[in-house]
Amino acid sequence: EARIRFEKIFAGHGLGFGRFNIYTLYVDYGFSLMMLKRYEDAIPHLMHGLGLNEDVPHGLNALGYSLMQLQRPQEAQSVSQ
């Protein structure tokens, strides 16, 4: 259900989100994809959101976890540094 809502928000060009909070849309969508075990799909959204605001612990965790699930430990380790 959350994935469907995120997709509707993205289809509406992120209405209701501004420069100050758009990162949350990407990080939380990536987190939802990670929870659905869609790791490959989650990574670009997490990286984009974290590129806008890197101070999001659950986003960093989700990115590291997704990378580990895809057998990419070097990249996962660099997330925490």
Side-chain angles (χ1 to χ4, degrees), residues 4-17 22 25-26:
I4 293 167
R5 288 179 190 242
F6 279 114
E7 289 172 0
K8 285 182 181 179
I9 293 169
F10 277 114
H13 306 288
L15 294 177
F17 289 87
I22 192 74
L25 181 61
Y26 289 97

Side-chain angles (χ1 to χ4, degrees), residues 3 10 37 40 43 64 66-67:
R3 181 188 54 83
F10 277 114
K37 299 182 181 185
E40 202 66 61
I43 290 171
S66 295
L67 290 165

Side-chain angles (χ1 to χ4, degrees), residues 17-29 45-46 48-56:
F17 289 87
R19 239 188 145 140
F20 69 98
N21 68 348
I22 192 74
Y23 74 91
T24 61
L25 181 61
Y26 289 97
V27 170
D28 290 348
Y29 183 51
H45 294 287
L46 290 164
H48 183 73
L50 291 167
L52 298 171
N53 181 0
E54 64 184 23
D55 192 27
V56 186

Side-chain angles (χ1 to χ4, degrees), residues 57-71:
H58 73 278
L60 293 167
N61 252 358
L63 179 56
Y65 184 82
S66 295
L67 290 165
M68 286 301 293
Q69 293 304 309
L70 295 172
Q71 307 300 314

